Amino acid sequence: MLGGGSWATALTKILAENGSRVHWWMRSKDDVQHLLRTRHNPRYLSSVAHDLDRVFPTNDLEAAVREADWLVLAVPAAFVQSTLDKLDRDALQHKRIISAIKGMIPGKNVLVTDYVAERFRLPHTRLGVVAGPCHAEEVALEKQSYLTIGSPDAELGEDFSRMLRNRYVKANPAQDLDGIEYCAVMKNIIALTCGIAHGLGYGDNFQAVLVSNAVQEIRRFVHALNPQPRDLSASAYLGDLLVTAYSQFSRNRTFGNMVGRGYSVKSAQMEMNMVAEGYYAVKSIYEMNRKLQVNMPITSAAYHVLYEKISPAIEVELLKEKFK
């Protein structure tokens, strides 16, 4: 497990309680020492007590990777490249890789799985992605949750699903790796925009229209990139979008809400002390769409607010005229 955030913590809890031995790499030496002393992550989901007979926190990235059969990526997308580039290009040759990241590699504008495949010369059949709807905070509370493991390799998807299933988590495989991963990126942009609208004082009626238009925007974009039959009303797509757009636990919605209320981007980021993947995703998707030229008014509005410093009130006012 690579990453020390809330999702890494939640997945470590599930995997360890289901019998896996988890070598848990965290960047902070202090956090590793705190975990070894107290069994708790001091920063995220600190109520969760980890079984140190099955969970092995470490700062040694190479050792953590070397010991594992599976590699779960749960660092923010902005740090994936700087983290994985420390590894030898052959370090992942005999491993199966799962991305639990809902973002893209900034600057490169590529999916995390595409970057890993290229960097380590791996076929996509060795890769998978975890999709929700599933907030880490509710996993910590052991509330009923559902996960989808997207992978072109049906056996990989089923194997990792089996490792996650327990009395409060249902997990199932699906073979639409690209579609699931792009939708996971897009839903953060939509949640961020919902937060902006909420911060401006718009209510549930407008948010429902925003989300329904967002489904159409996501469909157009994903089809332009990877046309194939897919049911976007399934939980891996629509369910993940809804929970991120509406939940109190959604950091992207929270970030957008702060921007809508008048916070600058930098001040919102500093106050949250957590990474809102949607901020980086907006730039990646907007830049990709310069070539595709798909009709994406919600993504464009979010980009104008976050990167061109256009007034949120003006951008949402313009969006109102584009919705039906």
Side-chain angles (χ1 to χ4, degrees):
M1 180 68 63
L2 303 189
S6 56
W7 198 209
T9 305
L11 288 172
T12 296
K13 166 185 165 64
I14 297 170
L15 290 165
E17 288 179 353
N18 282 358
S20 295
R21 291 168 55 88
V22 183
H23 297 270
W24 187 3
W25 176 82
M26 306 173 76
R27 184 173 57 178
S28 168
K29 292 182 180 180
D30 290 341
D31 289 356
V32 169
Q33 292 303 314
H34 186 93
L35 258 165
L36 290 171
R37 287 196 313 271
T38 70
R39 302 188 299 136
H40 297 270
N41 184 341
R43 298 176 188 267
Y44 301 98
L45 305 186
S46 54
S47 64
V48 174
H50 297 278
D51 180 358
L52 296 184
D53 290 330
R54 293 195 176 276
V55 176
F56 306 95
T58 180
N59 291 119
D60 190 333
L61 177 64
E62 292 183 354
V65 171
R66 187 170 55 247
E67 292 292 333
D69 298 315
W70 294 81
L71 183 65
V72 180
L73 306 175
V75 299
F79 304 128
V80 169
Q81 189 172 356
S82 61
T83 299
L84 294 185
D85 281 359
K86 297 172 184 174
L87 296 172
D88 184 83
R89 289 180 71 90
D90 295 323
L92 309 186
Q93 283 304 305
H94 303 292
K95 303 182 189 302
R96 294 194 277 183
I97 320 301
I98 298 292
S99 172
I101 302 166
K102 310 295 180 69
M104 302 181 72
I105 308 298
K108 291 183 175 293
N109 298 343
V110 297
L111 295 172
V112 171
T113 54
D114 287 340
Y115 167 75
V116 172
E118 180 184 354
R119 171 70 174 78
F120 295 97
R121 301 183 292 253
L122 299 175
H124 279 79
T125 51
R126 297 266 298 285
L127 300 165
V129 62
V130 179
C134 191
H135 279 306
E137 292 82 359
E138 291 200 354
V139 170
L141 296 170
E142 300 190 356
K143 292 184 177 291
Q144 187 66 57
S145 301
Y146 293 75
L147 292 170
T148 300
I149 310 304
S151 174
D153 185 289
E155 184 179 357
L156 181 150
E158 174 57 29
D159 287 348
F160 197 70
S161 295
R162 194 180 305 116
M163 292 166 65
L164 294 172
R165 292 179 188 130
N166 61 24
R167 62 181 176 79
Y168 60 90
V169 174
K170 295 185 181 296
N172 292 291
Q175 291 184 268
D176 181 22
L177 176 64
D178 282 357
I180 289 172
E181 197 166 3
Y182 274 118
C183 285
V185 172
M186 288 289 297
K187 56 96 176 179
N188 285 333
I189 298 173
I190 306 309
L192 193 154
T193 310
C194 285
I196 290 174
H198 185 266
L200 289 167
Y202 287 84
D204 293 343
N205 294 343
F206 179 75
Q207 181 157 313
V209 173
L210 194 161
V211 170
S212 62
N213 277 265
V215 173
Q216 300 171 49
E217 182 165 321
I218 292 170
R219 180 181 290 111
R220 290 191 295 267
F221 182 74
V222 175
H223 184 77
L225 285 167
N226 185 268
Q228 63 171 276
R230 53 173 62 90
D231 180 8
L232 289 187
S233 66
S235 62
Y237 309 98
L238 181 59
D240 208 3
L241 169 62
L242 292 176
V243 76
T244 309
Y246 285 97
S247 175
Q248 62 176 322
F249 295 125
S250 170
R251 66 187 66 177
N252 289 283
R253 178 183 165 89
T254 299
F255 176 78
N257 183 58
M258 295 171 75
V259 172
R261 287 164 49 202
Y263 282 69
S264 69
V265 168
K266 180 163 281 191
S267 61
Q269 289 172 324
M270 291 176 62
E271 183 158 325
M272 282 185 63
N273 195 34
M274 298 174 79
V275 175
E277 293 281 16
Y279 171 72
Y280 301 100
V282 165
K283 191 170 190 289
S284 292
I285 298 297
Y286 184 85
E287 289 178 349
M288 289 179 67
N289 197 44
R290 283 176 173 158
K291 293 181 179 179
L292 296 170
Q293 292 296 300
V294 175
N295 179 27
M296 301 182 71
I298 300 172
T299 300
S300 296
Y303 180 85
H304 295 156
V305 170
L306 299 180
Y307 289 93
E308 295 182 348
K309 299 184 179 179
I310 304 297
S311 162
I314 291 173
E315 283 298 325
V316 176
E317 189 70 28
L318 292 172
L319 267 182
K320 285 167 52 179
E321 302 306 315
K322 297 174 183 176
F323 291 165
K324 296 179 180 179

